[in-house]
Amino acid sequence: MILLVSLLLSPACLGLCGAAAEHVELERIETCSTKCSQGLRCKTKPEFFPPPCQKPTEDLNASSLFQNISLSTVMSCEGRQKCSLHLRIKATLQLTGSVWGMSVCTQTAGMLENCRSFSIQTAARGRKSGLQVQVENDCSSVSPKQQVQVTIKSFPNYCGVMWSGTYDAPGCSHEDLRKHIPVCITGRLSYDVDPEKKELNVTVTDMLEDYDYQLRLCHNDFVCFGTDANTVIKKEESIKSATLLYSRPLPCLCIEGWSITTDATRVQVCPFKDNLEELWQGITFDPQEEALLWEPACPVTAVVTLCQRGEDGVCLDLPRSMQNVSREKITFSEVDMHPQLCMKFTARGQSWTRCPFVDGRFRAWKVALTKQQGRQEVKITSLLNATFSVGLCVKSAASPMACQMTETHTVNVEEDKPFSLNLAGKLCDVNYCLQVTRLHVKHAATVIQCFEQCNQSQPLQPVAATLNWTSYILPVGVCLLGIVIITLVLHVLLTVHQKKNKQTHRGYRAEAKQTVSAPDCMVSTLQPAFQGGVFLPSCPQCTNTEKANLLYD
């Protein structure tokens, strides 16, 4: 039980101890030195070419020869901001007749091994055999966050009698180093945000003395890519502050500062690091490819899905539309342009929804419900040639959002030509709805249109829109009416012309007869004969010819 508790508490203790160590002040030394206990004087000598090892005696081994080995860091300072780090090596050495010292070698990445030996003076070797001597040396220089390989050998050097270990020097995150080691002095940045003016007022403290200071805004990724906002604070200025302008409050937008020296360490603060909502902008749509595109302005680990937003504001994910994103642009191809179709972004346990078609700029189709003379009519209007699945469904009493399909029809709607459905009968029941989905696309919204109660008995009949037939019938009717009017006019003109020709022909014939028959059919005016008010000629030759009928008063 005690072992279990200790194991559980060990990580917490290590974290707390590590955090506390970051704020512990390092031990100061005036100069580096080598010390030996028991009042012995140690002789220190560099080893540029260590001698080859010798064969050890049977009683020699590293565990009995070297004990209580410890490695630590100390600081040596010449001024407040002019300090350096040193590696302190402590070890307890068991003196023997054949071992009277030790050699220490340190090596860092990319550097040659640096060795030095520590030995007891010759006069004290014989009488100090079997004595344990503590040897301490702090003359090995190290850099912040540098890894050092340490090897301790017997002196003289016996083969296999050695100890080795690795030590990591504290980094510039250590509070003491940030104040006193020049390479770690980055300055401290504080800021105020003015969102209306889009300004960052930055103040620098604890900057490296006698050097100018560079400030800039950058977008943090593998490296921090700079923006146009940058300035230099001169070392002579009493107030170390500046104002930087920004365009968008992105979570990766950081203030970066450093002293203008060679290989200076830089410090960053990111004022908007928690402002993930700013990333979910910049959604674009390609109407030719019917593709939704989005690229993150900052590196972010998120999941993006397409969803359909309902009247209650809940956005339900569409099947097979999930994509993981970090830096790359994402594309959703063959997307139906409908106001209810949205993009959902999920990151750090939160979700945000953006609906790019809600403003109506890209609306491919719509369903409109109208009521004329007690009859409900649904019109589907599309800005492009499209195929739709139109189905009748029944609402569930248990779940208002659920709708169970009963019958389905496939209709083709031409561009800018409304397609009408006359609804009657069971469609007028308040439990029935019409479900419309665009076909032949990968991602589409499903529109559910419900109806009011009415009194009709006709079944669902897809019919062509009235406006479409009217556009054809009206021109044809006008043409037919014009043809009829022209035919009547021509007929009247032809009749009048024929009558005139007939009268003219008769006049010529009558005149010709009178001229030829005048001697035989001469009527005497002196001896008239009246019969019933009609004058009859007395000429016998006129009995079988045309009679001359004269009316009288």
Side-chain angles (χ1 to χ4, degrees):
M1 184 66 182
I2 296 175
L3 178 60
L4 177 60
V5 172
S6 63
L7 289 174
L8 292 175
L9 292 179
S10 293
C13 180
L14 290 173
L16 291 175
C17 294
E22 295 293 323
H23 300 280
V24 173
E25 189 174 273
L26 299 180
E27 183 181 341
R28 300 299 196 270
I29 60 172
E30 295 294 333
T31 58
C32 73
S33 62
T34 301
K35 300 176 183 178
C36 291
S37 66
Q38 305 295 343
L40 299 177
R41 296 182 63 183
C42 295
K43 182 181 178 181
T44 304
K45 183 178 69 173
E47 289 186 343
F48 298 106
F49 301 101
C53 65
Q54 305 175 28
K55 184 177 180 180
T57 60
E58 293 182 359
D59 59 338
L60 284 180
N61 59 76
S63 61
S64 61
L65 200 60
F66 306 116
Q67 297 177 7
N68 302 326
I69 300 173
S70 65
L71 307 173
S72 60
T73 307
V74 294
M75 186 181 292
S76 174
C77 298
E78 298 177 2
R80 191 176 70 89
Q81 293 185 337
K82 296 180 180 179
C83 300
S84 59
L85 297 180
H86 297 264
L87 176 63
R88 173 174 284 175
I89 303 172
K90 284 185 179 182
T92 300
L93 173 66
Q94 179 78 38
L95 297 179
T96 67
S98 57
V99 175
W100 54 84
M102 66 181 188
S103 66
V104 177
C105 297
T106 58
Q107 187 176 17
T108 58
M111 302 297 290
L112 294 175
E113 189 176 48
N114 180 24
C115 299
R116 65 182 67 224
S117 63
F118 312 101
S119 59
I120 306 299
Q121 290 183 348
T122 306
R125 291 176 186 172
R127 63 178 183 269
K128 298 296 182 182
S129 180
L131 188 66
Q132 288 188 339
V133 180
Q134 188 178 63
V135 181
E136 178 181 304
N137 176 266
D138 49 25
C139 291
S140 298
S141 297
V142 293
S143 300
K145 208 175 182 178
Q146 190 174 43
Q147 188 176 74
V148 184
Q149 184 71 32
V150 180
T151 304
I152 300 176
K153 302 177 182 179
S154 62
F155 185 84
N157 184 13
Y158 291 100
C159 297
V161 182
M162 59 182 294
W163 175 94
S164 63
T166 302
Y167 176 74
D168 293 321
C172 286
S173 59
H174 195 287
E175 191 71 19
D176 205 9
L177 273 63
R178 290 187 64 183
K179 292 180 179 179
H180 304 291
I181 303 297
V183 71
C184 293
I185 299 175
T186 60
R188 297 179 183 274
L189 304 180
S190 58
Y191 60 88
D192 293 318
V193 182
D194 189 339
E196 293 184 358
K197 296 182 180 180
K198 291 188 175 182
E199 291 180 350
L200 288 168
N201 301 310
V202 186
T203 302
V204 184
T205 56
D206 297 334
M207 57 188 287
L208 189 61
E209 297 172 352
D210 301 325
Y211 290 93
D212 295 335
Y213 198 84
Q214 181 79 46
L215 274 177
R216 70 167 184 167
L217 291 181
C218 58
H219 292 127
N220 198 12
D221 197 349
F222 296 114
V223 295
C224 210
F225 297 98
T227 65
D228 294 333
N230 62 86
T231 187
V232 175
I233 298 177
K234 298 295 183 180
K235 59 184 177 181
E236 298 86 5
E237 297 178 7
S238 58
I239 300 176
K240 306 297 191 292
S241 62
T243 299
L244 302 174
L245 299 177
Y246 66 91
S247 56
R248 292 178 60 188
L250 294 169
C252 61
L253 181 69
C254 300
I255 307 168
E256 188 175 61
W258 68 96
S259 299
I260 304 180
T261 61
T262 304
D263 297 329
T265 304
R266 304 186 179 194
V267 63
Q268 289 181 359
V269 291
C270 304
F272 312 108
K273 61 182 179 180
D274 296 324
N275 192 22
L276 291 178
E277 190 171 0
E278 183 66 25
L279 292 177
W280 323 132
Q281 298 183 16
I283 302 173
T284 58
F285 181 72
D286 185 347
Q288 297 295 327
E289 300 293 332
E290 293 190 296
L292 270 178
L293 308 118
W294 176 78
E295 184 174 9
C298 295
V300 62
T301 301
V303 176
V304 185
T305 56
L306 293 179
C307 61
Q308 182 174 346
R309 173 179 278 179
E311 296 180 356
D312 56 357
V314 177
C315 207
L316 300 178
D317 294 347
L318 298 184
R320 299 180 298 279
S321 67
M322 186 181 72
Q323 294 191 36
N324 294 315
V325 63
S326 56
R327 290 178 175 84
E328 302 80 11
K329 178 188 291 186
I330 64 170
T331 301
F332 291 100
S333 59
E334 297 183 35
V335 176
D336 179 28
M337 297 178 289
H338 196 275
Q340 295 181 8
L341 196 142
C342 307
M343 293 180 72
K344 182 191 293 184
F345 303 88
T346 304
R348 299 183 190 175
Q350 294 181 282
S351 294
W352 296 265
T353 302
R354 297 292 181 267
C355 302
F357 306 119
V358 73
D359 57 1
R361 288 185 302 166
F362 300 101
R363 182 162 186 170
W365 60 278
K366 64 179 180 179
V367 178
L369 179 62
T370 60
K371 188 174 183 180
Q372 296 179 356
Q373 298 179 353
R375 173 181 293 180
Q376 294 186 89
E377 185 179 70
V378 172
K379 287 187 178 181
I380 304 176
T381 305
S382 177
L383 297 179
L384 42 82
N385 296 331
T387 303
F388 295 89
S389 171
V390 181
L392 187 65
C393 62
V394 181
K395 290 189 296 184
S396 173
S399 177
M401 296 300 298
C403 200
Q404 185 177 0
M405 296 294 296
T406 60
E407 57 181 279
T408 304
H409 300 269
T410 299
V411 297
N412 296 314
V413 180
E414 297 183 14
E415 179 181 351
D416 293 330
K417 293 181 179 180
F419 191 93
S420 296
L421 296 170
N422 290 333
L423 306 180
K426 57 184 178 181
L427 294 181
C428 297
D429 194 308
V430 292
N431 293 323
Y432 280 85
C433 299
L434 198 67
Q435 181 172 296
V436 183
T437 305
R438 184 182 167 192
L439 303 178
H440 305 154
V441 290
K442 292 182 179 179
H443 311 289
T446 299
V447 176
I448 297 178
Q449 182 71 63
C450 298
F451 315 105
E452 298 178 358
Q453 191 169 3
C454 57
N455 295 319
Q456 298 292 333
S457 57
Q458 297 178 359
L460 174 65
Q461 295 179 352
V463 297
T466 305
L467 294 177
N468 296 342
W469 286 112
T470 304
S471 61
Y472 291 104
I473 294 174
L474 186 60
V476 173
V478 172
C479 293
L480 291 176
L481 181 61
I483 293 173
V484 171
I485 293 174
I486 292 172
T487 303
L488 291 175
V489 171
L490 291 176
H491 177 72
V492 171
L493 293 176
L494 182 61
T495 302
V496 172
H497 181 69
Q498 289 177 349
K499 287 183 177 182
K500 286 185 178 181
N501 288 342
K502 187 174 181 179
Q503 290 178 357
T504 303
H505 182 67
R506 287 179 177 179
Y508 284 137
R509 290 180 60 189
E511 183 178 354
K513 287 182 178 182
Q514 289 177 4
T515 303
V516 175
S517 306
D520 298 327
C521 299
M522 184 69 65
V523 178
S524 175
T525 59
L526 297 178
Q527 296 177 353
F530 289 91
Q531 291 184 2
V534 177
F535 176 75
L536 298 176
S538 57
C539 178
Q541 291 85 355
C542 298
T543 56
N544 296 326
T545 60
E546 183 179 356
K547 296 181 179 180
N549 298 325
L550 299 178
L551 299 177
Y552 66 93
D553 297 333

